[in-house]
Amino acid sequence: MAGRARYEELIRQLSAFGAVKREMSRVMPAECPGGSGAVLALLGRHGDMRMSRLAELLAVDMSVTSRHVAHSAERGWVERSPDPADKRSRILRLTPAGRAQLDELFERTTRLLADRLSDWTDDEVGQLTLLMTRLRASFDDCRPAQSRPPAPPADGRATRTPITTK
């Protein structure tokens, strides 16, 4: 069981990571809670999509996704239009106001990370990004194929997705 200790320490570190996520959520605008930020980030990264696809990417059920989308739509950040292939479905699209809000979220999270990691080298930040991407992919590999998000870029570069809380 020698390997158990390293996983126990990993569990402690992952639990403590909640403090990092909470601090990141504190720099977000009050009108944009984490769920709405995640909706904007996913639409910004993947483009227009159905609500069902967004729910898969968020890894939450449709009712939770619907609340996040409704909040974003009420603020003019997301528009819902009929799906030409299935009039019962809606296609979600980021509006110019949503793009501006997303840019603001990225700016705030980037400033916070740049401040907190100012004593890290570029290689260390890259290594953390690569390892976090790999950790997430290990968990995604356990989900059914249809509900997995797309694979990260092969070169290990991070994509523009702010860390948010759910």
Side-chain angles (χ1 to χ4, degrees):
M1 280 296 225
R4 180 180 170 139
R6 70 180 178 165
Y7 292 114
E8 289 172 349
E9 179 57 25
L10 180 58
I11 290 166
R12 284 189 286 279
Q13 293 304 318
L14 289 172
S15 295
F17 196 76
V20 173
K21 289 180 71 174
R22 283 188 297 279
E23 185 169 354
M24 293 189 83
S25 70
R26 283 193 284 274
V27 302
M28 294 295 131
E31 71 275 7
C32 190
S36 295
V39 166
L40 298 178
L42 289 169
L43 288 172
R45 179 177 178 192
H46 299 287
D48 303 353
M49 68 182 76
R50 286 182 173 183
M51 180 90 72
S52 58
R53 178 66 178 142
L54 182 61
E56 290 172 3
L57 292 171
L58 289 170
V60 297
D61 67 42
M62 286 291 285
S63 64
V64 173
T65 302
S66 183
R67 282 194 305 272
H68 294 323
V69 168
H71 181 271
S72 299
E74 288 166 6
R75 281 147 187 80
W77 301 332
V78 172
E79 69 179 15
R80 298 173 273 199
S81 56
D83 183 345
D86 180 356
K87 298 294 183 198
R88 297 169 298 171
S89 293
R90 297 278 182 236
I91 297 292
L92 306 174
R93 179 173 293 112
L94 203 57
T95 65
R99 172 62 60 195
Q101 182 66 38
L102 181 57
D103 289 345
E104 175 67 17
L105 298 178
F106 284 133
E107 179 60 33
R108 288 174 182 230
T109 54
T110 299
R111 271 196 318 259
L112 178 64
L113 287 171
D115 178 63
R116 296 302 188 274
L117 304 181
S118 63
D119 60 336
W120 290 42
T121 66
D122 288 347
D123 286 344
E124 289 170 328
V125 172
Q127 184 178 15
L128 176 63
T129 302
L130 187 63
L131 291 172
M132 289 180 74
T133 301
R134 185 174 172 193
L135 176 65
R136 175 65 192 264
S138 294
F139 281 80
D140 289 341
D141 288 347
C142 295
R143 291 178 22 205
Q146 69 273 17
S147 66
R148 287 185 210 151
D155 61 8
R157 288 182 302 153
T159 56
R160 284 185 54 173
T161 305
I163 297 175
T164 59
T165 56
K166 291 184 187 172

